[in-house]
Amino acid sequence: MTTGLIPGGPPPERGPTGERVPQRRREPAGPAALHVDNRSRSSVITARAAASFEPVGRSVATARSFVRDTLQGWGCADIVDDAVVLTSELVTNAVVHAGTQADVLCLRAEDGVRVEVSDRYPEREVPLQGSLATMGSLDREGGRGLQLCAALAARWGVDYTPTHKNVWFQLDLPERPVGTRTAGPVLPIDLLPLADGRVRVAVLQIDRKGTISAWNEDAEELFGYSAAEATGRPLTDFAAWPHTPGTGTGIAEALRLSRWEGTYGIRGADGRVASVYASHLRVRDTGGEPSTVCLLVRDHERAVLQTPSRVPSGDQATASDGKNADPFEVFIGSPAPDDLDGLLQRTVERARDMLDADSAFLLLATDDETELEVRASTGLPSARQRFARVPVEAGPGRYGSARMPAVHDDLSAVPGAVPLLAGTGMRSVVTVPLKVEGRLTGSLGVAAEAPGRYSNEEALRLQFAADRIALAVESARLGELERLRRGSLSFLVEASDLLAGTLDRDQTLALMAQMTVPTLATWCAVYTIADQASEPYLSYVLHEDEELIDGIKSLLSKISPPDPVPTPGARVWSTPGEVAHQAALRSSMRSLGLSGGPSHRIAPGIGPTLATASAVGGETVVLPLVARNRVIGMLTLGKPTDEHFRQEILELAEDLSRRAALALDNARLYSERTAISQALQRSLLPPGLPQIDGVEVEVIYRAAGEGNEVGGDFYDLFPIGDGAYGFAIGDVCGTGPNAAAVTGLARHALRLLAREGLSGPAVLERLNSAILDEGDRSRFLTLLYGELRPQQDGSAELKVVCAGHPLPLRLRQDGTVLPAAEPQPLLGVMEDLELYEERVTLDPGDVLLCVTDGVTERREGTRMLGDDGLADVLTTCTGLTAGAVAARIMRAVERFASDAPSDDMAILAMRVPGLQKD
């Protein structure tokens, strides 16, 4: 048996006593009933779709998506919202209240769509008698689904079988002229939207790379850029689209969608951000390349482009109490957008339309619930308001209506009651809290330009809508926060790895800036402080647009740096924005004065000033760089005109600043240590080599490592007196400070003792005693010491003592290579040494080569260069100058092995060229 109430049908029959008799349908139950019931309308089923859903809570959302996708695929977008609302209620009854499986069947006919929802609980009571008002009430848990069917559906009914109960409804498609997508009623002139003079529609075309390829005349008039200035540049250079990586929809994602409508800002040539309403359409050109056509108008002229929201017709929107159904209810019944930003933007737009307001805004509470942060707005300068924060509790500039609904008839009488609306022209406002389990999670408000527009009735309607949407908003917010935290953790791990990978100060500064721009900020500047007595110094500036770096650097260099306060956290620094705005204003006034009229285009010379003002005109914050309980600098982050930072971004920047401060201080300590080491190393080597008549001298010294090791090999060449010169080349065992101490002792003792007229053996014996006196700090020392005296005949006489050092090699003109000395005990081991000196004569053309063991012990696997290998290389140096000999030896040593040298190397080459003939 099938029973049901059919709106628009014949009046019910009356019994003998005058009682109302339920109508009885003679058609069979089940799907066949649709065809019979609609035969008078000549409807033919043209498509069907069916799905079953398990008795679990998530099935309701799945069923909504199924019906929405099905109807949109059939081109029935006008009735999607109503169908989704009704399906949601009926499936909820089946899977939640009845606890059975729900079967959903969608049938499309020529004039409408029928949706059937069946469950397995046929005994459930269905109210059939009496008025529609008795079918369900706000105080009853059951009956609402049938009440909604009566209010929204053109036809509806309930079919019974022994095992199933089937509730069905039919929604008729609106009749429109061919080609009409949407239409509105005829309105009085005073109700039409206002437009400033001629309505201009900017037409932009964006290629697949996000670059502007077309820019029409209206775009030139609206934004001040000529087509030549705009084409070829990315849309992101002009669009003020605040976006946090990993959350929401950014401009790049929006340009890839097939269609998109919404509000964002465009930075004009004057540096200001104009709020525009845009409609994007993704198309393909004749070559198959995708591009996006963008239509833009002023935000208050959005009616030119905006797709009107569907409002149910009077017969469909009339509820049982005779009042129109709230359009916000239709929105709430539809699935929420996947991202938080989309959900919030749809919420404020629906709230504005619901109360016929001029603007609306939504704020979300921070984690500690002490501040509210603007996350969505419409009808307001969105770029300026986005992510702005206001305190919740009492105090200057407080947001007084955050925890309770509030209505302000005229904001001019209570200035500061709603700080976000200051300077916007809004006079009346109603605000309501968003609460989840009694906890404040946000605030929703709508405002109008006229005073006295709202009463407590509007506040209750808005509060009811806010209560319905609060849980969805909080769920989306928590999901976004979780994604942001995961992204933040990954970001900090990568940042720590990069900062730990270098000890170079300049590279650390560059990494700090590159990690913050553009992920955390549009531009940044790093100030460093050398010591507590020093002023902060501007060390690095970076902007996502390289052309603006010089302008920002010039601006910051002309103003006083922020105070180095060690208090953790970010603090606002307003000076850069104020100074930049004043500079841009002065430049603009000078330009207008020269032009003689307000229509003069902005002169190219002040372009950088205006661009700089736009770049730093937003919120600027300073975070201290604190390492080892000392402020070593400040990290400054900035946004472009009228933009603000999210609280989560500031917390992430604070974590990054702590890591960056420690890395920067480590780089400073490393640089200081390296500078000390290099200065000490330089002090262990002679400042220069003297010029010796009749003898060529060349020295090559290569220290192993990265320049941070001191000690090791050393050399010296100095005058003794009476035409004699002392030379030495040595190698101290080990490295580090103790080895450096022995190196310094040896070099300076050699000079002092040699100039006292002592012989070579005597000099080395006294040096040996001095080394042993060092005790535990002493080191073994191999040393080749000699005295050189040029002769009148062009030769040179040498006296040589080789104390444990690699033997010097003598290269004769005929290519013969022979040792020039005998080995003797090294220094720093025994107290009583018996050393002797050997005499060597270098004939014209002869070369004396002295090296340290870093040369002879050069290894490649198991092979070693050795003394024989060195001698072989030297035999090829006949006829070369001293410099060429030293260079060839060093080249041969480097090529002997592929690895970098692991030991210090010193090469001393002396050659007697002979007498020059006239």
Side-chain angles (χ1 to χ4, degrees):
M1 180 180 66
T2 302
T3 63
L5 297 177
I6 307 177
E13 300 177 0
R14 297 284 177 174
T17 60
E19 295 180 354
R20 202 175 200 176
V21 178
Q23 290 182 330
R24 299 184 180 273
R25 294 173 55 189
R26 299 176 177 84
E27 301 84 330
L34 175 66
H35 180 73
V36 176
D37 180 56
N38 294 331
R39 185 173 301 168
S40 61
R41 297 174 58 89
S42 300
S43 297
V44 178
I45 296 175
T46 59
R48 74 172 58 229
S52 297
F53 303 94
E54 296 298 324
V56 292
R58 63 176 180 272
S59 295
V60 179
T62 307
R64 288 198 299 262
S65 300
F66 165 71
V67 173
R68 174 175 291 277
D69 294 342
T70 300
L71 269 59
Q72 286 181 342
W74 290 348
C76 304
D78 295 281
I79 60 174
V80 165
D81 290 338
D82 286 347
V84 168
V85 170
L86 296 177
T87 302
S88 179
E89 291 292 338
L90 297 179
V91 173
T92 299
N93 290 339
V95 303
V96 175
H97 300 302
T100 73
Q101 175 179 307
D103 300 322
V104 179
L105 173 66
C106 299
L107 301 171
R108 186 186 68 183
E110 296 175 351
D111 55 354
V113 172
R114 171 168 168 155
V115 178
E116 301 180 358
V117 179
S118 302
D119 63 35
R120 312 295 175 86
Y121 192 72
E123 296 84 0
R124 192 168 181 81
E125 176 186 1
V126 179
L128 299 176
Q129 297 182 351
S131 65
L132 295 178
T134 64
M135 295 171 55
S137 67
L138 296 179
D139 297 328
R140 291 188 58 189
E141 182 178 358
R144 295 182 186 176
L146 301 180
Q147 186 177 14
L148 283 175
C149 288
L152 300 179
R155 288 175 173 80
W156 71 280
V158 182
D159 300 339
Y160 276 110
T161 69
T163 58
H164 292 73
K165 181 183 69 181
N166 180 29
V167 182
W168 60 270
F169 60 86
Q170 180 169 327
L171 300 173
D172 292 341
L173 294 174
E175 297 182 0
R176 292 177 179 166
V178 177
T180 302
R181 180 173 182 270
T182 182
V186 177
L187 294 178
I189 296 178
D190 57 347
L191 296 182
L192 297 176
L194 295 175
D196 297 337
R198 172 191 167 191
V199 176
R200 298 187 181 273
V201 179
V203 181
L204 286 62
Q205 190 150 2
I206 315 299
D207 61 22
R208 66 185 308 166
K209 297 180 180 179
T211 302
I212 298 174
S213 58
W215 183 275
N216 73 338
E217 294 181 358
D218 281 358
E220 295 182 6
E221 294 295 331
L222 285 175
F223 310 124
Y225 299 99
S226 66
E229 294 172 327
T231 54
R233 297 177 61 182
L235 179 60
T236 52
D237 287 357
F238 304 95
W241 190 307
H243 173 56
T244 301
T247 61
T249 301
I251 188 169
E253 291 82 0
L255 290 175
R256 288 194 294 268
L257 299 176
S258 60
R259 292 193 65 89
W260 185 90
E261 274 191 32
T263 303
Y264 53 88
I266 294 291
R267 298 185 184 92
D270 58 356
R272 298 181 179 274
V273 175
S275 184
V276 299
Y277 190 83
S279 176
H280 297 175
L281 176 65
R282 190 75 161 164
V283 298
R284 284 189 302 166
D285 59 18
T286 55
E289 290 293 321
S291 62
T292 303
V293 177
C294 304
L295 306 181
L296 295 84
V297 297
R298 298 181 182 93
D299 189 51
H300 62 276
E301 297 171 347
R302 63 169 55 203
V304 176
L305 299 179
Q306 187 175 25
T307 301
S309 301
R310 178 183 179 277
V311 179
S313 59
D315 58 339
Q316 295 175 346
T318 303
S320 59
D321 57 359
K323 296 183 180 180
N324 291 336
D326 195 338
F328 207 88
E329 285 296 305
V330 179
F331 166 72
I332 293 174
S334 61
D338 294 335
D339 64 294
L340 177 62
D341 290 339
L343 173 61
L344 299 184
Q345 191 62 36
R346 282 178 55 180
T347 300
V348 295
E349 291 177 359
R350 183 62 66 181
R352 179 201 60 193
D353 297 340
M354 182 180 70
L355 297 186
D356 192 22
D358 297 314
S359 63
F361 52 90
L362 193 148
L363 304 89
L364 294 183
T366 55
D367 289 341
D368 56 5
E369 299 180 10
T370 60
E371 289 184 316
L372 293 171
E373 188 175 63
V374 178
R375 293 299 302 272
S377 65
T378 181
L380 297 172
S382 57
R384 177 168 67 88
Q385 301 293 341
R386 188 171 171 84
F387 301 128
R389 293 176 298 278
V390 293
V392 175
E393 302 301 335
R398 72 185 184 91
Y399 194 75
S401 58
R403 300 188 182 279
M404 295 291 293
V407 177
H408 296 281
D409 291 331
D410 192 350
L411 289 178
S412 62
V414 282
V418 185
L420 295 176
L421 300 180
T424 62
M426 300 298 160
R427 297 284 296 278
S428 55
V429 61
V430 53
T431 60
V432 297
L434 297 177
K435 292 184 178 181
V436 176
E437 297 179 352
R439 181 172 56 87
L440 178 68
T441 61
S443 177
L444 175 64
V446 296
E449 296 179 353
R453 283 282 301 275
Y454 305 112
S455 63
N456 289 337
E457 182 180 355
E458 282 81 7
L460 292 176
R461 291 182 62 202
L462 189 62
Q463 183 66 72
F464 178 72
D467 292 341
R468 296 290 300 274
I469 202 68
L471 185 59
V473 170
E474 180 66 4
S475 177
R477 186 188 74 87
L478 294 176
E480 179 195 68
L481 186 60
E482 180 63 24
R483 291 192 299 271
L484 183 62
R485 285 174 176 170
R486 288 198 301 266
S488 300
L489 181 60
S490 176
F491 172 77
L492 290 174
V493 169
E494 182 179 358
S496 299
D497 289 343
L498 290 174
L499 291 172
T502 179
L503 288 173
D504 182 82
R505 176 182 176 276
D506 294 337
Q507 189 174 1
T508 302
L509 290 173
L511 284 174
M512 290 171 56
Q514 292 167 6
M515 285 185 293
T516 57
V517 175
T519 304
L520 305 182
T522 306
W523 64 272
C524 83
V526 183
Y527 291 85
T528 56
I529 303 175
D531 51 60
Q532 295 181 354
S534 302
E535 291 293 327
Y537 174 75
L538 182 61
S539 299
Y540 203 92
V541 175
L542 183 65
H543 190 280
E544 61 183 7
D545 184 355
E546 294 182 358
E547 296 180 357
L548 298 177
I549 295 177
D550 292 338
I552 298 177
K553 186 182 298 183
S554 175
L555 173 70
L556 296 178
S557 63
K558 295 177 182 177
I559 62 178
S560 299
D563 296 331
V565 179
T567 305
R571 69 181 191 276
V572 177
W573 186 32
S574 59
T575 304
E578 296 173 354
V579 173
H581 177 73
Q582 295 172 1
L585 181 61
R586 289 194 298 268
S587 299
S588 299
M589 293 176 63
R590 286 197 299 269
S591 176
L592 294 174
L594 293 173
S595 67
S599 62
H600 175 69
R601 294 186 61 82
I602 297 176
I606 67 171
T609 301
L610 293 176
T612 302
S614 176
V616 303
E619 189 175 45
T620 303
V621 297
V622 179
L623 298 103
L625 298 175
V626 181
R628 298 175 175 90
N629 298 322
R630 187 175 73 87
V631 180
I632 63 171
M634 285 89 69
L635 177 62
T636 304
L637 306 179
K639 286 282 190 179
T641 301
D642 296 333
E643 291 191 19
H644 298 268
F645 286 97
R646 293 185 57 180
Q647 184 64 32
E648 294 87 350
I649 295 298
L650 293 180
E651 293 173 357
L652 180 58
E654 185 177 357
D655 287 339
L656 176 63
S657 67
R658 288 194 291 266
R659 290 165 169 79
L662 187 59
L664 185 60
D665 198 47
N666 289 338
R668 177 188 63 82
L669 295 174
Y670 176 79
S671 298
E672 292 178 356
R673 179 188 173 192
T674 300
I676 294 173
S677 299
Q678 292 174 347
L680 180 57
Q681 181 70 65
R682 287 192 296 268
S683 71
L684 301 178
L685 301 176
L689 299 177
Q691 295 291 332
I692 304 177
D693 294 335
V695 179
E696 298 174 358
V697 179
E698 180 66 25
V699 174
I700 296 180
Y701 181 85
R702 297 286 175 83
E706 299 180 359
N708 59 335
E709 296 293 340
V710 295
D713 297 358
F714 71 95
Y715 66 91
D716 201 359
L717 179 63
F718 55 91
I720 298 176
D722 297 334
Y725 293 84
F727 66 90
I729 183 170
D731 184 3
V732 178
C733 177
T735 59
N738 291 334
V742 176
T743 301
L745 173 64
R747 195 176 76 81
H748 294 292
L750 286 175
R751 288 196 173 208
L752 179 62
L753 296 174
R755 288 171 177 171
E756 290 295 326
L758 299 176
S759 63
V763 169
L764 267 59
E765 289 170 1
R766 285 169 172 75
L767 176 59
N768 180 65
S769 299
I771 293 174
L772 292 174
D773 289 343
E774 291 294 311
D776 294 338
R777 296 181 299 174
S778 65
R779 289 290 187 273
F780 303 153
L781 171 63
T782 67
L783 180 64
L784 173 65
Y785 174 75
E787 295 180 1
L788 170 67
R789 188 182 299 272
Q791 302 298 312
Q792 294 295 331
D793 59 358
S795 62
E797 294 291 335
L798 285 80
K799 299 178 181 179
V800 181
V801 180
C802 186
H805 199 76
L807 300 179
L809 300 179
R810 176 185 180 185
L811 172 64
R812 302 183 64 87
Q813 293 190 50
D814 59 2
T816 304
V817 175
L818 297 172
E822 297 291 334
Q824 301 184 57
L826 54 78
L827 307 181
V829 179
M830 299 179 293
E831 294 184 359
D832 298 328
L833 288 180
E834 295 182 2
L835 303 175
Y836 59 92
E837 63 183 9
E838 302 175 68
R839 295 179 179 270
V840 180
T841 300
L842 295 181
D843 297 326
D846 289 354
V847 175
L848 183 70
L849 177 65
C850 309
V851 300
T852 58
D853 59 4
V855 174
T856 57
E857 295 179 0
R858 177 74 163 143
R859 293 180 180 275
E860 173 69 16
T862 59
R863 297 186 307 118
M864 186 173 68
L865 180 62
D867 296 334
D868 295 338
L870 180 62
D872 292 341
V873 177
L874 186 58
T875 58
T876 65
C877 299
T878 304
L880 300 181
T881 63
V885 171
R888 178 169 293 186
I889 297 298
M890 178 56 71
R891 186 165 57 250
V893 172
E894 291 175 342
R895 292 179 177 178
F896 185 80
S898 59
D899 296 336
S902 59
D903 195 4
D904 299 339
M905 292 185 293
I907 300 175
L908 173 61
M910 293 181 291
R911 178 176 180 269
V912 180
L915 296 176
Q916 299 291 332
K917 297 182 179 179
D918 297 335

